[in-house]
Short mmCIF file of all heavy atoms in Angstrom, two decimals:
data_model
loop_
_atom_site.label_atom_id
_atom_site.label_comp_id
_atom_site.label_asym_id
_atom_site.label_seq_id
_atom_site.Cartn_x
_atom_site.Cartn_y
_atom_site.Cartn_z
N THR A 401 -70.35 10.75 40.47
CA THR A 401 -70.63 11.75 41.51
C THR A 401 -71.86 11.32 42.33
O THR A 401 -71.81 11.39 43.58
CB THR A 401 -70.92 13.11 40.86
OG1 THR A 401 -69.79 13.51 40.09
CG2 THR A 401 -71.22 14.15 41.89
N LEU A 402 -72.92 10.86 41.69
CA LEU A 402 -74.11 10.43 42.44
C LEU A 402 -73.79 9.25 43.35
O LEU A 402 -74.32 9.14 44.47
CB LEU A 402 -75.24 10.09 41.46
CG LEU A 402 -75.91 11.25 40.75
CD1 LEU A 402 -76.88 10.76 39.71
CD2 LEU A 402 -76.60 12.22 41.75
N THR A 403 -72.97 8.33 42.85
CA THR A 403 -72.62 7.16 43.68
C THR A 403 -71.92 7.56 44.94
O THR A 403 -72.27 7.09 46.06
CB THR A 403 -71.79 6.18 42.86
OG1 THR A 403 -72.49 5.76 41.72
CG2 THR A 403 -71.37 4.98 43.69
N TYR A 404 -70.90 8.42 44.86
CA TYR A 404 -70.22 8.85 46.05
C TYR A 404 -71.11 9.67 46.95
O TYR A 404 -71.04 9.60 48.18
CB TYR A 404 -68.97 9.66 45.70
CG TYR A 404 -67.77 8.76 45.38
CD1 TYR A 404 -67.26 8.66 44.09
CD2 TYR A 404 -67.15 8.04 46.38
CE1 TYR A 404 -66.19 7.85 43.78
CE2 TYR A 404 -66.07 7.23 46.12
CZ TYR A 404 -65.59 7.12 44.82
OH TYR A 404 -64.51 6.32 44.57
N LEU A 405 -72.01 10.50 46.34
CA LEU A 405 -72.90 11.32 47.15
C LEU A 405 -73.86 10.46 47.96
O LEU A 405 -74.03 10.70 49.16
CB LEU A 405 -73.66 12.31 46.24
CG LEU A 405 -74.44 13.39 46.94
CD1 LEU A 405 -74.48 14.68 46.07
CD2 LEU A 405 -75.91 12.97 47.19
N TYR A 406 -74.49 9.46 47.30
CA TYR A 406 -75.43 8.61 48.04
C TYR A 406 -74.70 7.80 49.10
O TYR A 406 -75.26 7.56 50.18
CB TYR A 406 -76.11 7.64 47.07
CG TYR A 406 -76.97 8.29 46.01
CD1 TYR A 406 -77.32 7.62 44.86
CD2 TYR A 406 -77.43 9.60 46.13
CE1 TYR A 406 -78.13 8.21 43.89
CE2 TYR A 406 -78.18 10.21 45.19
CZ TYR A 406 -78.54 9.51 44.03
OH TYR A 406 -79.30 10.10 43.07
N TYR A 407 -73.48 7.37 48.79
CA TYR A 407 -72.69 6.64 49.77
C TYR A 407 -72.42 7.46 50.99
O TYR A 407 -72.59 7.01 52.14
CB TYR A 407 -71.37 6.20 49.09
CG TYR A 407 -70.37 5.57 50.03
CD1 TYR A 407 -70.49 4.29 50.50
CD2 TYR A 407 -69.23 6.31 50.47
CE1 TYR A 407 -69.57 3.69 51.39
CE2 TYR A 407 -68.30 5.75 51.35
CZ TYR A 407 -68.47 4.47 51.78
OH TYR A 407 -67.56 3.92 52.64
N GLU A 408 -71.98 8.73 50.82
CA GLU A 408 -71.69 9.57 51.96
C GLU A 408 -72.96 9.93 52.76
O GLU A 408 -72.97 9.89 53.98
CB GLU A 408 -71.00 10.84 51.50
CG GLU A 408 -69.54 10.67 51.11
CD GLU A 408 -68.60 10.40 52.28
OE1 GLU A 408 -69.10 10.35 53.44
OE2 GLU A 408 -67.44 10.19 52.06
N LEU A 409 -74.04 10.23 52.06
CA LEU A 409 -75.28 10.53 52.73
C LEU A 409 -75.78 9.30 53.54
O LEU A 409 -76.34 9.44 54.63
CB LEU A 409 -76.35 10.95 51.75
CG LEU A 409 -76.42 12.42 51.37
CD1 LEU A 409 -77.50 12.69 50.35
CD2 LEU A 409 -76.62 13.32 52.60
N SER A 410 -75.56 8.11 53.02
CA SER A 410 -75.99 6.90 53.72
C SER A 410 -75.20 6.70 55.01
O SER A 410 -75.69 6.00 55.92
CB SER A 410 -75.78 5.67 52.78
OG SER A 410 -76.61 5.78 51.64
N ARG A 411 -74.02 7.31 55.10
CA ARG A 411 -73.21 7.22 56.31
C ARG A 411 -73.50 8.38 57.25
O ARG A 411 -72.92 8.46 58.35
CB ARG A 411 -71.74 7.19 55.91
CG ARG A 411 -71.39 5.99 55.08
CD ARG A 411 -70.00 6.15 54.43
NE ARG A 411 -68.95 6.12 55.44
CZ ARG A 411 -67.83 6.88 55.39
NH1 ARG A 411 -67.69 7.70 54.34
NH2 ARG A 411 -66.92 6.78 56.30
N HIS A 412 -74.36 9.30 56.83
CA HIS A 412 -74.68 10.47 57.63
C HIS A 412 -76.21 10.63 57.73
O HIS A 412 -76.79 11.52 57.10
CB HIS A 412 -74.06 11.71 57.05
CG HIS A 412 -72.54 11.72 57.08
ND1 HIS A 412 -71.80 11.09 56.13
CD2 HIS A 412 -71.67 12.32 57.94
CE1 HIS A 412 -70.52 11.28 56.39
NE2 HIS A 412 -70.41 11.99 57.48
N PRO A 413 -76.91 9.81 58.54
CA PRO A 413 -78.38 9.87 58.57
C PRO A 413 -78.90 11.22 59.04
O PRO A 413 -79.96 11.66 58.62
CB PRO A 413 -78.75 8.75 59.55
CG PRO A 413 -77.46 8.41 60.28
CD PRO A 413 -76.35 8.72 59.32
N GLU A 414 -78.13 11.89 59.92
CA GLU A 414 -78.60 13.19 60.40
C GLU A 414 -78.61 14.23 59.27
O GLU A 414 -79.50 15.11 59.25
CB GLU A 414 -77.67 13.71 61.53
CG GLU A 414 -76.30 14.25 61.10
CD GLU A 414 -75.31 13.18 60.61
OE1 GLU A 414 -75.56 11.98 60.74
OE2 GLU A 414 -74.27 13.58 60.03
N LEU A 415 -77.72 14.09 58.28
CA LEU A 415 -77.73 14.97 57.15
C LEU A 415 -78.88 14.64 56.21
O LEU A 415 -79.45 15.55 55.57
CB LEU A 415 -76.40 14.90 56.42
CG LEU A 415 -75.94 16.12 55.56
CD1 LEU A 415 -76.06 17.36 56.38
CD2 LEU A 415 -74.57 15.91 55.02
N GLN A 416 -79.23 13.39 56.10
CA GLN A 416 -80.41 13.00 55.27
C GLN A 416 -81.66 13.69 55.84
O GLN A 416 -82.47 14.19 55.07
CB GLN A 416 -80.62 11.51 55.32
CG GLN A 416 -79.54 10.71 54.59
CD GLN A 416 -79.89 9.23 54.54
OE1 GLN A 416 -81.00 8.85 54.15
NE2 GLN A 416 -78.95 8.36 54.95
N THR A 417 -81.79 13.75 57.16
CA THR A 417 -82.95 14.36 57.78
C THR A 417 -83.00 15.85 57.48
O THR A 417 -84.03 16.40 57.12
CB THR A 417 -82.92 14.14 59.32
OG1 THR A 417 -82.91 12.75 59.61
CG2 THR A 417 -84.12 14.77 59.97
N LYS A 418 -81.83 16.50 57.61
CA LYS A 418 -81.78 17.95 57.31
C LYS A 418 -82.08 18.23 55.84
O LYS A 418 -82.78 19.18 55.52
CB LYS A 418 -80.41 18.52 57.64
CG LYS A 418 -80.11 18.54 59.15
CD LYS A 418 -78.73 19.13 59.43
CE LYS A 418 -78.44 19.13 60.92
NZ LYS A 418 -77.07 19.64 61.17
#
Side-chain angles (χ1 to χ4, degrees):
T401 302
L402 288 174
T403 299
Y404 277 111
L405 189 148
Y406 298 161
Y407 172 75
E408 286 289 359
L409 275 178
S410 297
R411 299 166 66 215
H412 294 82
E414 75 290 348
L415 203 52
Q416 292 185 51
T417 301
K418 291 180 181 178

